[in-house]
């Protein structure tokens, strides 16, 4: 089995932190995704290597095995068990003689050690016919518009040439990961398939800002409505909402529209709130008559004081 340096695949060294691994994976996954490189025949293979490297290095247990055993990391448990059995056998002298067990040095290739133990047949090959191994987990990213995350969506994805239909619950958050059981790599010797982990990247919206289940947006408020009072129509993801504006409303006034925010993930019928901030619009290009009236109004205000 050809050795693949997972650290090299992600452009990292062995001292990389979990955050380093996550950032490197996301950057390379976007760059080498087959959908982004339809004419590159090597993109799919490169993308699979990136996923494989991330799947191992992002898991502390798997990473520790990989750092210790290299390409044989998947057989770490079998190796430890076999080494213990060998040590017990040697110390008991069951071959009729007395000998010392040679200590195993980290510099020796594990595959060579397996071959020594099993008479020229590699341990991996010997076990492969008997032991079932779980398939590799896959990791993918899926971009969504904020509007798409407002309602439950169904999408069809292509994973390793197979189309799968997934349901994306309303209220999914940016950076949230969901698991699709059994849609990872195929198992070995009848072992179960791995899982598919999808991380959602929700694009920023030009109008709405989301914080958990609450939404925030600015709404322009004309000068006359702010002074005299009236109504404004505010667009939400749930339709147009009519808001009553009190006379004398000031710039940057915030209004909460209860239940008009984002749906709560997997809690049907529950919503956050929508917070509206008024942005006062001062009229420009006033006519002569408007200037006269405003000047008169200004004098009345001063005389009233």
């Amino acid at each position: 089995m050809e050795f693949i340096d997972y650290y090299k695949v992600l452009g990292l060294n062995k001292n990389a932190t979990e955050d380093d691994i996550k950032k490197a994976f996301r950057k390379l996954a976007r760059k080498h995704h087959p959908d982004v490189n339809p004419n590159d025949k090597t993109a799919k293979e490169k993308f699979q290597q990136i996923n494989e490297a991330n799947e191992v290095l992002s898991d502390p247990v798997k990473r520790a095995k990989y750092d210790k055993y290299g390409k044989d990391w998947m057989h770490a448990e079998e190796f430890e068990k076999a080494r213990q059995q060998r040590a017990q056998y040697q110390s008991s002298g069951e071959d009729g003689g007395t000998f010392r067990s040679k200590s195993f040095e980290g510099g020796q290739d594990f595959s060579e050690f397996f071959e020594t133990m099993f008479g020229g047949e590699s341990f991996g090959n010997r076990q492969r016919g008997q032991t079932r191994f779980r398939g590799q987990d896959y990791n993918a990213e899926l971009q969504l518009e904020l509007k798409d995350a407002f309602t439950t969506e169904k999408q069809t994805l292509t994973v390793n040439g197979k189309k799968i239909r997934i349901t994306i619950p309303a209220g999914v958050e940016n950076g949230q990961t969901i698991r699709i059981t059994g849609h990872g790599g195929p198992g070995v010797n009848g072992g179960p398939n791995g899982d598919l982990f999808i991380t959602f990247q929700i694009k920023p919206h030009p109008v709405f800002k989301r914080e958990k289940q609450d939404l925030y947006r600015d709404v322009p408020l004309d000068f006359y409505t702010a002074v005299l009072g009236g109504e404004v129509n505010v667009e939400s993801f749930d339709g147009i909402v009519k808001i009553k504006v009190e006379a004398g409303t000031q710039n940057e006034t915030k209004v909460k529209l209860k239940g008009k925010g984002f749906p709560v993930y997997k809690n049907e019928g529950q919503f956050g709130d929508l917070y509206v901030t008024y942005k006062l619009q001062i009229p420009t290009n006033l006519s002569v008559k408007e200037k006269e009236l405003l000047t008169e109004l200004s004098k009345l205000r001063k005389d009233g004081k």
Side-chain angles (χ1 to χ4, degrees):
M1 178 180 176
E2 183 181 355
F3 175 66
I4 300 176
D5 189 333
Y6 291 147
Y7 290 101
K8 186 175 181 180
V9 169
L10 296 181
L12 301 171
N13 57 47
K14 286 192 174 183
N15 296 322
T17 65
E18 291 184 12
D19 192 48
D20 292 335
I21 293 169
K22 184 184 294 184
K23 289 180 179 178
F25 167 68
R26 289 181 175 177
K27 179 180 178 181
L28 292 171
R30 292 192 191 99
K31 180 179 179 182
H32 296 284
H33 196 287
D35 291 345
V36 181
N37 304 274
N39 298 321
D40 186 350
K41 295 182 180 179
T42 65
K44 182 178 179 180
E45 180 181 355
K46 181 68 175 177
F47 185 70
Q48 289 177 339
Q49 285 188 355
I50 292 168
N51 272 305
E52 183 179 334
N54 178 67
E55 192 270 334
V56 173
L57 298 184
S58 63
D59 185 315
V61 176
K62 292 180 181 179
R63 182 180 180 182
K65 292 179 181 178
Y66 176 77
D67 287 344
K68 185 175 182 179
Y69 297 105
K71 67 176 181 294
D72 297 301
W73 72 270
M74 292 184 69
H75 305 296
E77 294 179 6
E78 292 93 335
F79 166 74
E80 290 294 343
K81 183 178 179 180
R83 185 168 67 168
Q84 291 173 7
Q85 291 175 346
R86 182 190 191 203
Q88 291 174 358
Y89 175 79
Q90 289 178 335
S91 63
S92 67
E94 291 181 4
D95 65 344
T98 302
F99 54 84
R100 294 181 181 179
S101 172
K102 181 180 179 181
S103 62
F104 183 81
E105 300 295 337
Q108 182 183 359
D109 187 274
F110 287 98
S111 295
E112 294 176 2
F113 181 66
F114 293 150
E115 291 172 1
T116 301
M117 291 175 63
F118 296 104
E121 181 183 8
S122 74
F123 181 73
N125 290 337
R126 184 176 187 268
Q127 289 295 95
R128 197 168 290 118
Q130 304 172 12
T131 306
R132 294 186 302 168
F133 293 101
R134 182 177 179 275
Q136 175 187 338
D137 290 335
Y138 290 157
N139 295 275
E141 288 189 355
L142 181 60
Q143 288 194 346
L144 294 176
E145 301 289 348
L146 186 61
K147 179 68 174 178
D148 295 333
F150 185 79
T151 56
T152 297
E153 292 272 328
K154 291 186 181 294
Q155 289 201 19
T156 300
L157 306 178
T158 301
V159 180
N160 274 3
K162 297 181 179 179
K163 291 186 177 181
I164 62 172
R165 184 99 167 146
I166 66 170
T167 298
I168 305 171
V172 66
E173 294 189 35
N174 183 51
Q176 183 174 344
T177 299
I178 65 173
R179 180 174 66 181
I180 311 298
T181 304
H183 285 284
V188 178
N189 295 327
N193 290 348
D195 299 330
L196 170 63
F197 291 85
I198 300 177
T199 300
F200 295 98
Q201 301 296 327
I202 300 179
K203 300 177 183 178
H205 195 277
V207 174
F208 294 92
K209 178 183 178 182
R210 179 188 178 189
E211 292 185 7
K212 298 295 183 180
Q213 287 76 48
D214 293 330
L215 289 173
Y216 297 81
R217 66 158 300 172
D218 296 336
V219 172
L221 183 64
D222 72 86
F223 173 77
Y224 303 105
T225 303
V227 172
L228 301 174
E231 292 180 339
V232 293
N233 291 326
V234 177
E235 182 181 359
S236 72
F237 281 133
D238 195 28
I240 301 297
V241 182
K242 186 172 290 188
I243 306 178
K244 182 179 179 181
V245 180
E246 299 292 336
T249 295
Q250 301 297 307
N251 185 45
E252 298 291 334
T253 295
K254 288 184 172 58
V255 177
K256 181 173 77 172
L257 302 181
K258 189 172 179 61
K260 293 297 180 181
F262 227 68
V264 180
Y265 182 72
K266 287 192 174 180
N267 283 273
E268 188 174 352
Q270 295 185 28
F271 292 81
D273 302 322
L274 171 60
Y275 291 85
V276 170
T277 300
Y278 291 130
K279 297 294 183 179
L280 189 60
Q281 306 293 299
I282 303 298
T284 58
N285 301 319
L286 297 174
S287 66
V288 174
K289 183 64 175 180
E290 285 177 318
K291 290 180 180 179
E292 290 176 353
L293 291 173
L294 286 173
T295 300
E296 184 177 348
L297 178 61
S298 176
K299 290 179 180 179
L300 288 172
R301 294 284 293 178
K302 289 179 181 179
D303 293 343
K305 290 181 180 180

